[in-house]
């Protein structure tokens, strides 16, 4: 047909369509029903499906339904293709004029492959860039239903979760075991939409007002002129900041304690930090703080272990989490809440609940357990899940609300904003890992990376054209209805409440609540960090802060720095100690712990097998260690001296005999007075380090000679005996305490 004819045809079709749309009667036409001024209350017919809004329905990248789950839909079909689905027969050779080139510009596959590679990296998170993720499930015990109507807290309700643990200061490729705060962010894919609990392993924060966040982070990040040091606070700008903004002293104290060096992500507490507001079914409100309690107890590395791990195994925490989940030693945390009456002053026992630099001691407000989280799955693809997951403090569900904590308010702005750059546009909630499992029917449209093909024509309300869809929900249909909280009339000011001025009483409370060995670690940490500062004025100002916290702490650090200890410069109210702040003492299950077993062909290999079986049955991972890989008389070797280091082990056993010194390696005395000439020096190093790091050491049969040679007989936490089973039983009992605390000079 001629073009003119076609145009005519299209115009006719459009006219007849328009005519058909006028039936039934045109509103307002003579004889028709009077027009309705109301938006319809029910859809006239089911609105067309909106592909991104039917989570988790699998979709192909074009928005068409797909048989594959969303995360797998990236790879379909058996053949290698271009990004547009054209099958390829070669991907190793660019298209050239003859085998020696030149390469031709017409090679689309080459250009597409290189273009995509060139753009694989996205900006790393401005903080918390280094992280590890895992999938799991949260099961509520129902205890919170009296204070919150959130479906996620309903008795026995199971909610899928994705968790991301992280360090704060380091870049994405930095070491895991640096001294730093750890992020503990949990995304609950609840039936009422996503709830993100974006917390840390420390219950207080550096600053009281989010407007200072860029400042504290700039102070903690590497110096801009040299871009060092990486991933740590041991430098001038950090200590300059916290000694001037003394509200940061409390958080810094936690960082200097063993909490700054977790043994594993599985052994960290988590805290929501802010006070949140729970809303019950009748609209009643309760203030609360969230706590994650690890079933394995809180456990930390020693400073030397942390430093060794940063070199020997920079992925220490990521590996630990992955291996534990892979081996079925699923990490478990109980979620708990401290609750407080929602009084107008929002304080509890004199503690300002809106001040994020303050905690509420558990002795004053016990943590009530409301559910359990178990991590059961590793990510399939780190970029797709761990890197692209986007948390946000504003992702709340009905029954859980925020408060006016000025830090939280700034966070509510920041977490949305940052994703625009990091995930390149406003549609990041369509990325599979961020998609809610609840149905989504928002009225957002278009934007970069829009992957939905929205149906309907009226993304506004009220509307008649989409039959009034989407509809508003009431409380009964699970709507998030804002609590009408009273805000006292006041002038707009740039100021803090007077209660925010006390920067030291809880810092002192923390230090004085520690056991002697924990206090010793704190002293050493301050001494190290300030020893790394160049500026005398910074060291002196921080010593002044320490003097305000505790005179003895200040004196010890000052001695280490070779500086005079100042007297306190402010009056600090004394507060009751809180033993719950200490990580010690306690007994904990051994799941996923590592026990090294040093073997030699002349040793007790039957005993090794029995030991392995007993450990595996107890959920502990046995690692057979020998000078070479392969097998030792039929026993499979898992680590050689080249691939093991003490940091990996929670205890070490010498099985019947220790490998002797090989001719090729010169023997050396590792410990004064020890007679280690006959021992393989790598065994000496391993045992020496395990001794220094206060790990349980055991040996049986002739293996005990190695302990004698090292002068370890009769030392606390060193077990020797005739048979493997007896030694192992004692070793397991000692491991329940995490470390042999008596071995530290200060004693537990
Ligand atoms: Fe934050 C990431 C935790 C204060 C701004 N923060 C981030 C993550 C965690 C926290 C765990 C990593 C999330 C992930 O794994 O993707 N942040 C906290 C806690 C805070 C806190 C417990 C205080 C109680 N944060 C805070 C403030 C601001 C931010 C006051 C800004 C005003 N935080 C961000 C951010 C990040 C972030 C820039 C970087 C990447 C991201 O958000 O998604 O928006």
């Amino acid at each position: 047909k001629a073009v003119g004819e076609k145009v005519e045809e299209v115009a006719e079709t459009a006219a007849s369509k328009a005519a058909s749309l006028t039936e039934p009667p045109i509103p307002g036409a003579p004889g028709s029903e009077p027009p309705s001024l109301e938006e319809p209350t029910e859809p006239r017919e089911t609105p067309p499906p909106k592909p991104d809004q039917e989570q988790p329905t699998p979709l192909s990248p074009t928005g068409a339904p797909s048989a594959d789950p969303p995360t797998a839909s990236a790879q379909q079909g058996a053949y290698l293709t271009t990004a547009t689905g054209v099958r390829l027969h070669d991907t190793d050779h660019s298209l050239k004029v003859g085998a020696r080139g030149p390469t031709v510009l017409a090679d689309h596959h080459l250009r597409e492959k290189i273009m995509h590679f060139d753009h694989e990296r996205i900006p790393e998170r401005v903080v918390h860039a280094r992280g590890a993720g895992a999938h799991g499930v949260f099961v509520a015990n129902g205890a919170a239903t009296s204070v919150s109507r959130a479906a996620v807290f309903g008795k026995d309700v199971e909610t899928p979760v994705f968790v991301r643990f992280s360090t704060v200061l380091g870049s994405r490729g930095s070491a895991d075991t640096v001294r730093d705060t750890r992020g503990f962010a949990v995304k609950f894919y609840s039936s009422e939409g996503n709830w993100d609990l974006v917390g840390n392993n420390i219950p207080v924060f550096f600053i009281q007002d989010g407007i200072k966040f860029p400042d504290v982070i700039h102070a903690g990040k590497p110096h801009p002129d040299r871009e060092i040091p990486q991933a740590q606070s041991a430098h001038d700008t950090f200590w300059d900041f916290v000694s001037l903004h003394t509200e940061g002293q409390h958080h810094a104290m936690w960082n200097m304690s063993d909490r700054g060096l977790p043994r594993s992500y599985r052994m960290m507490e988590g805290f929501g930090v802010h006070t949140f507001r729970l809303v019950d079914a009748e609209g009643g409100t309760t203030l609360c703080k969230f706590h994650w309690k690890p079933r394995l107890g809180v456990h930390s590395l020693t400073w030397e272990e942390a430093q060794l791990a940063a070199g020997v195994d920079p992925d220490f925490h990521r590996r630990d989490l992955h291996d534990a989940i892979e081996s079925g030693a699923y990490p478990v945390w109980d979620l708990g809440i401290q609750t407080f009456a929602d009084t107008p002053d929002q304080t509890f026992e004199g503690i300002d609940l809106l001040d994020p630099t303050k905690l509420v001691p558990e002795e004053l407000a016990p943590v009530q357990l409301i559910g359990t989280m178990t991590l059961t799955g590793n990510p399939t693809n780190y970029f797709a899940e761990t890197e692209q997951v986007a948390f946000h403090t504003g992702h709340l569900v009905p029954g859980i609300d925020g408060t006016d904590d000025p830090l939280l308010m700034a966070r509510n702005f920041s977490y949305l904003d940052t994703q625009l750059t990091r995930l390149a546009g406003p549609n990041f909630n369509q990325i599979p890992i961020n998609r809610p499992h609840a149905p989504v029917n928002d009225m957002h449209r278009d934007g970069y990376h829009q992957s939905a093909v929205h149906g309907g024509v009226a993304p506004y309300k009220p509307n008649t054209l989409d039959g009034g869809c989407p509809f508003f929900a009431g409380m009964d249909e699970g709507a998030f209805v804002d609590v009408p909280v009273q805000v006292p009339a006041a002038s707009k000011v740039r100021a803090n409440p007077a209660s925010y001025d006390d920067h030291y009483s809880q810092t002192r409370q923390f230090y004085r609540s520690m056991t002697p060995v924990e206090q010793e670690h704190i002293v050493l940490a301050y001494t190290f960090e300030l020893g790394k500062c160049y500026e005398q004025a910074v060291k002196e100002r921080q010593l002044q802060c320490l003097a305000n916290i505790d005179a003895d702490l200040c004196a010890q650090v000052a001695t280490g720095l070779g500086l005079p200890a100042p007297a306190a410069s402010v009056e600090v109210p004394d507060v009751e100690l809180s033993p719950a702040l200490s990580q010690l003492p306690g007994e904990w299950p051994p799941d996923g712990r590592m026990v090294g077993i040093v073997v030699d062909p002349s040793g007790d290999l039957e005993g090794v097998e029995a030991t392995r079986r007993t450990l595996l049955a107890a959920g502990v991972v046995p690692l057979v260690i020998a000078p070479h890989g392969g097998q030792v008389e039929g026993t499979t070797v898992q680590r050689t001296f080249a691939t093991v280091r003490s940091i990996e082990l929670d205890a070490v056993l010498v099985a019947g005999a220790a490998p002797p010194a090989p001719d090729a390696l010169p023997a050396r005395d590792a410990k004064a007075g020890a007679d280690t000439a006959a021992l393989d020096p790598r065994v000496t190093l391993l045992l020496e380090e395990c001794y220094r790091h206060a790990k349980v050491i055991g040996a049986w049969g002739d293996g005990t000679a190695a302990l004698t040679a090292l002068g370890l007989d009769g030392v606390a936490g060193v077990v020797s005996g005739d048979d493997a089973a007896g030694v192992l039983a004692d070793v397991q009992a000692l491991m329940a305490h995490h470390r042999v605390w008596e071995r530290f000079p200060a004693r537990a």
Side-chain angles (χ1 to χ4, degrees), residues 727-740:
V727 168
L728 183 59
D730 288 352
V731 165
Q732 284 180 286
L734 286 164
M735 274 173 63
H737 301 280
H738 283 163
R739 283 186 201 276
V740 186

Side-chain angles (χ1 to χ4, degrees), residues 125-126 128 164 199-200 205 213 391 407 411 414-415 419:
R125 287 168 173 80
V126 59
H128 297 265
R164 187 172 179 276
N200 279 339
F205 202 63
F213 190 69
F391 294 94
L407 194 72
R411 292 182 76 190
S414 181
Y415 289 76
Q419 315 304 351

Side-chain angles (χ1 to χ4, degrees), residues 667-689:
R668 81 180 164 84
D669 282 353
K671 194 165 186 275
D675 179 16
T676 58
L679 273 181
D680 187 320
R682 296 167 298 182
V683 176
T684 307
L685 177 69
L686 190 65
L687 295 178
E688 279 285 332
E689 280 184 356

Side-chain angles (χ1 to χ4, degrees), residues 301-316:
L301 297 170
T302 66
W303 178 228
E304 190 186 43
E305 278 180 304
Q307 287 180 301
L308 281 173
V312 172
D313 186 4
D315 310 306
F316 189 73

Side-chain angles (χ1 to χ4, degrees), residues 262-325:
R263 153 72 176 81
S264 154
Y265 287 137
R266 300 177 290 135
M267 300 166 197
M268 297 191 316
E269 278 182 303
F271 303 91
V273 182
H274 311 283
T275 300
F276 290 85
R277 176 174 279 111
L278 301 178
V279 188
D280 65 27
E282 277 72 51
T285 59
T286 306
L287 299 180
C288 98
K289 282 183 179 286
F290 290 103
H291 294 243
W292 291 108
K293 298 274 182 195
R295 288 273 174 93
L296 298 180
V298 183
H299 186 27
S300 297
L301 297 170
T302 66
W303 178 228
E304 190 186 43
E305 278 180 304
Q307 287 180 301
L308 281 173
V312 172
D313 186 4
D315 310 306
F316 189 73
H317 286 151
R318 187 179 279 194
R319 187 188 313 286
D320 170 273
L321 181 68
H322 177 277
D323 289 357
I325 293 174

Side-chain angles (χ1 to χ4, degrees), residues 524-606:
L524 293 174
Y526 276 111
T527 312
F528 171 84
E529 298 250 330
L530 294 173
K532 288 285 208 173
C533 293
Y534 293 97
E535 293 297 331
Q536 184 82 356
V538 169
K539 297 183 200 190
E540 286 173 1
R541 202 177 326 109
Q542 179 56 34
L543 280 177
Q544 180 62 67
C545 296
L546 295 184
N548 295 341
I549 297 164
D550 183 275
D552 188 48
L553 164 66
C554 177
Q556 291 187 66
V557 176
T559 304
L561 297 176
L563 292 171
S569 61
V570 290
E571 283 273 317
V572 179
D574 260 332
V575 287
E576 290 274 315
L577 298 190
S578 168
L581 294 171
S582 166
Q583 294 180 213
L584 307 176
E587 287 195 26
W588 310 99
D591 310 37
R593 295 304 192 87
M594 307 277 201
V595 173
I597 311 173
V598 178
V599 302
D600 184 71
S602 67
D604 172 18
L605 296 173
E606 272 178 31

